[in-house]
Amino acid sequence: MNPFPIAGYIGKEYFCDREKETKLIIDGIKNGRNQVVYGWRRLGKSALLFHVLSEMEKQKHLGIYVDLYGTKSLAQATENIADAIINATQGQKGISQKLAQLVGRLGASLSFDPFTAMPKLSFGINQHQEKGEQNLLALYKYLSSEYKKVIVVLDEFQQITQYENSINPEAVFRSLMQQFPNIRFIYSGSQRNLMLSMFNDSNRPFYRSCELLLIEEIAIKAYSPFILEKMNKRGQKITSEQIETIYQWTNGQTLYIQMVCNKLFARNKKVDNEALLSTFKELIEQQSHYFQHINELLTRKQSDLMRAIAIEGVAASPTANDFLNKHQLGTSGTITRTLNSLVSKTLVIKTTTGYRLHDTLLSRWYEHL
């Protein structure tokens, strides 16, 4: 088995570090604190949350993981939450009688995927706001009454701010959290500024209601021995210097570190510099059509600024005259508006050292454009 998975969570043995974060989240769960886990994409937040749930299930907690990415309404969120509850609670004999009765009362239809045999609920297309709230309340009541220790993870939680035809979805979820003190809630999100605003703005329902945990890159000092151990255990050789090269090339983004190591492991050869460069090139080429599509959706100014930031790696002051003149970008006023637009799309992010492209692989593609 390739020891560098690039999707999901396959066990503690293949999970790198995050010991401090795991301890903090588990401590919050055990001591009745609801939490917010936030950080940029591709840093392994979802894998961390699955890891926490796996550890807590050993201590008789029921873990419910819900992905809200792509949901456009409270009705769709309700369906995802219901699906997650059914998948987490069904035993070897299938869905319990109480849960089956609840599904019927909710007015939902239950089917099974012909390929995975996993259950799937459908509430129909006309589920309105009030009905969605009632269904969520009923689902949480079921969890609260049937299980003593429950953890509900709502991933990509910032998505609820985009819901259509909802009075105030933040208020709905905040009210549910208050009504079920025996359920621990973890709200995870990848849009850092939006998540901070949701939970720190005094005018919003979730104001100061949860403990916040920022997820950043796994340090090279933790990742390097992990990669060495996995490679050497299977007779493949890689040096600390080569791991450093991988870490720098990927900007420490967990997903891309895993991708590079996954491909190097699959070669079943000693890692050399030629293999590294070939793997880097292969990753960029595999995404090149998608990156070209992104570029075509941008204005000329946006594209030029993306490329300029990519070439710099990190742009400390992208509106400064030195930067503008070096990359022939025009006036600072125009670039300020362009920069703000790219930041709002999360194509460019602001870090403590300056601005950089959010997606490291996209940045590497722009470097060679």
Side-chain angles (χ1 to χ4, degrees):
M1 182 174 179
N2 195 308
F4 301 103
I6 58 176
Y9 175 77
I10 61 174
K12 187 174 183 179
E13 180 184 354
Y14 304 99
F15 184 75
C16 178
D17 193 44
R18 297 296 188 199
E19 294 179 3
K20 178 182 177 182
E21 295 89 342
T22 300
K23 183 178 179 180
L24 286 171
I25 296 173
I26 289 177
D27 182 69
I29 292 170
K30 289 182 175 180
N31 291 283
R33 302 192 299 270
N34 295 310
Q35 297 168 82
V36 177
V37 177
Y38 69 105
W40 301 120
R41 285 196 179 97
R42 303 177 184 88
L43 294 180
K45 290 189 303 302
S46 297
L48 167 62
L49 295 170
F50 278 118
H51 176 64
V52 168
L53 292 181
S54 177
E55 293 297 299
M56 294 309 296
E57 284 168 2
K58 298 173 185 176
Q59 301 181 37
K60 308 304 181 183
H61 284 71
L62 174 67
I64 311 289
Y65 174 87
V66 186
D67 187 358
L68 296 179
Y69 184 75
T71 56
K72 297 181 180 179
S73 65
L74 190 63
Q76 290 183 356
T78 303
E79 288 193 33
N80 285 20
I81 292 170
D83 284 338
I85 290 173
I86 288 175
N87 289 328
T89 58
Q90 67 168 341
Q92 293 181 348
K93 296 182 180 180
I95 298 172
S96 70
Q97 184 177 357
K98 284 189 177 181
L99 186 54
Q101 291 173 347
L102 173 61
V103 169
R105 290 199 303 272
L106 297 180
S109 59
L110 180 64
S111 60
F112 291 85
D113 188 291
F115 299 103
T116 65
M118 297 298 286
K120 175 70 177 177
L121 281 185
S122 175
F123 287 93
I125 61 175
N126 295 319
Q127 186 188 182
H128 50 79
Q129 163 83 5
E130 183 179 351
K131 185 65 174 177
E133 290 183 44
Q134 292 173 356
N135 286 343
L136 277 176
L137 181 61
L139 288 166
Y140 284 141
K141 278 184 177 179
Y142 167 78
L143 286 176
S144 183
S145 63
E146 294 296 313
Y147 300 92
K148 292 182 179 180
K149 300 177 181 179
V150 182
I151 308 163
V152 175
V153 174
L154 298 174
D155 206 356
E156 297 299 345
F157 188 64
Q158 75 280 335
Q159 185 68 26
I160 72 169
T161 64
Q162 306 298 317
Y163 284 175
E164 304 164 354
N165 304 320
S166 292
I167 299 172
N168 189 341
E170 292 178 53
V172 172
F173 281 98
R174 175 71 168 94
S175 174
L176 289 168
M177 185 182 77
Q178 289 178 306
Q179 292 181 62
F180 300 98
N182 65 319
I183 300 178
R184 295 280 64 77
F185 291 93
I186 300 176
Y187 306 97
S188 174
S190 57
Q191 295 186 26
R192 285 173 48 163
N193 295 338
L194 183 50
M195 290 293 289
L196 283 173
S197 177
M198 289 174 70
F199 289 89
N200 279 343
D201 188 334
S202 60
N203 295 316
R204 302 179 78 157
F206 274 105
Y207 175 64
R208 296 293 174 86
S209 62
C210 300
E211 195 171 57
L212 273 65
L213 176 61
L214 173 62
I215 302 301
E216 298 184 283
E217 295 84 357
I218 297 173
I220 182 67
K221 65 180 181 180
Y223 231 134
S224 185
F226 175 82
I227 295 172
L228 281 169
E229 188 268 334
K230 297 303 177 190
M231 287 287 198
N232 293 339
K233 187 176 180 180
R234 291 157 179 81
Q236 295 183 238
K237 301 299 180 182
I238 189 170
T239 67
S240 298
E241 291 75 16
Q242 289 166 337
I243 295 174
E244 176 74 23
T245 299
I246 294 170
Y247 192 88
Q248 295 299 328
W249 190 83
T250 60
N251 280 327
Q253 287 187 331
T254 305
L255 173 62
Y256 293 141
I257 294 174
Q258 293 290 116
M259 281 186 169
V260 171
C261 292
N262 182 287
K263 286 181 175 291
L264 290 172
F265 181 86
R267 288 171 177 261
N268 199 27
K269 297 178 181 178
K270 179 181 177 180
V271 177
D272 55 26
N273 291 336
E274 181 181 351
L276 280 180
L277 294 176
S278 175
T279 300
F280 295 160
K281 182 180 179 182
E282 182 179 330
L283 283 172
I284 294 172
E285 288 178 346
Q286 287 176 341
Q287 298 289 328
S288 62
H289 291 295
Y290 171 63
F291 292 154
Q292 182 62 45
H293 174 68
I294 291 177
N295 189 57
E296 290 171 355
L297 295 176
L298 301 177
T299 66
R300 178 61 183 273
K301 283 291 184 185
Q302 289 174 333
S303 177
D304 289 345
L305 181 56
M306 290 277 284
R307 183 171 182 270
I309 295 174
I311 290 172
E312 296 292 329
V314 177
S317 301
T319 58
N321 287 332
D322 288 346
F323 182 85
L324 298 176
N325 293 333
K326 178 180 179 180
H327 298 284
Q328 300 179 343
L329 292 174
T331 64
S332 61
T334 301
I335 293 303
T336 297
R337 291 191 295 272
T338 302
L339 179 64
N340 290 338
S341 175
L342 293 174
V343 170
S344 69
K345 300 174 189 293
T346 326
L347 289 169
V348 172
I349 59 175
K350 185 177 181 181
T351 69
T352 55
T353 54
Y355 292 86
R356 65 175 176 84
L357 270 60
H358 182 199
D359 189 322
T360 294
L361 211 57
L362 177 61
S363 182
R364 298 303 182 191
W365 180 81
Y366 266 109
E367 285 179 34
H368 300 94
L369 188 64

